[in-house]
Amino acid sequence: MSRSKYTKKRMPQSFTVYRSVSHFEVTLDLLRRRCEHNEGLIHNLEELSLHQDNLEEIENIDRWCKDLKILYLQGNSIQKIENLSRLKDLEYLNLALNGIERIENLQGCESLRKLDLTANFIGDLTSVESLRENPYLEELYLTGNPCAEFDGYRSYVIAALPHLRILDGQEVTRTEQLEALHFYLDTKAKIIRQQVAYKAKRDLEKEKNAAKLVAAPCHSDGDGGSGKGTHHEWEKLSWSPEYRREMHRHRVGEAAQKDPSK
């Protein structure tokens, strides 16, 4: 069910903009439809896939599906990791391709072994230290995040999380781990400097997006009838959490336009 309301506005070159005030909810009906393989029963569900469901928030899952071991939430527009603390048996969490900017609120997932955060917008790399509270975590994916471009990224993560066995698909060797631990303090200081610079840049981007991003149109084959400059601005916005969120809302708006009953 969507609790959004949409108004439709025509733009040049067949752009369509949908203004949304909210998002799709994680409802009992949605969960039952996603667990048909379990006869629609959700209380004892061990695996749940809610990928590409236009979700902006993680909600209700840890209330209704406490026995989950595998949870797929990739390809949504989730901005924050939250409301998962009751999933004590969760072993694998996939949050790839969302709008997450920091790692947080996973301390309650005591059994977590694999975490996929590929292609998000994480720039707060030191937030990875919160995963020290997940002693069974062996496999972590941060490829495609801004933090993965920081000088010293891999060494810092390996030293911060000595229990990791695989980082971004590559095995962590004993030699690599010892070297990372030896230079940990120097590497962390270097990471913090880069993190501060990134945050300043990101804060400026948020201000620009707040001013420019009323709603996000899909690209046309042309330049939208407004010149190359406008196209370039949209290209920059396309890599921000705000743009990803608006693109999802656009898709929800199109679906609602085609089928108002949804």
Side-chain angles (χ1 to χ4, degrees), residues 219-247:
H219 289 292
S220 71
D221 292 332
D223 62 6
S226 52
K228 294 182 179 179
T230 301
H231 182 73
H232 183 63
E233 287 299 315
W234 285 116
E235 285 294 329
K236 287 195 290 185
L237 289 176
S238 68
W239 295 106
S240 69
E242 294 81 19
Y243 188 88
R244 180 168 285 176
R245 180 189 64 231
E246 294 300 328
M247 285 297 294

Side-chain angles (χ1 to χ4, degrees), residues 1-3 22-27 30 54-55 59-60:
M1 174 186 290
S2 172
R3 56 183 181 223
S22 195
H23 57 279
F24 272 84
E25 298 177 81
V26 179
T27 63
L30 174 62
N54 296 307
L55 304 177
E59 53 188 350
N60 298 324

Side-chain angles (χ1 to χ4, degrees), residues 105-122:
N105 300 324
L106 289 172
Q107 294 89 335
C109 300
E110 301 170 355
S111 303
L112 191 64
R113 294 181 179 275
K114 181 178 179 180
L115 176 61
D116 193 342
L117 292 165
T118 301
N120 275 275
F121 296 89
I122 298 169

Side-chain angles (χ1 to χ4, degrees), residues 13-52:
Q13 293 287 327
S14 73
F15 281 155
T16 303
V17 176
Y18 293 89
R19 288 186 173 84
S20 168
V21 297
S22 195
H23 57 279
F24 272 84
E25 298 177 81
V26 179
T27 63
L28 280 170
D29 180 62
L30 174 62
L31 293 179
R32 288 190 179 110
R33 283 188 280 117
R34 292 295 181 272
C35 63
E36 292 178 352
H37 61 285
N38 199 46
E39 298 181 347
L41 300 176
I42 64 173
H43 69 279
N44 63 346
L45 197 63
E46 294 188 352
E47 180 174 332
L48 177 63
S49 180
L50 294 172
H51 67 282
Q52 297 180 339

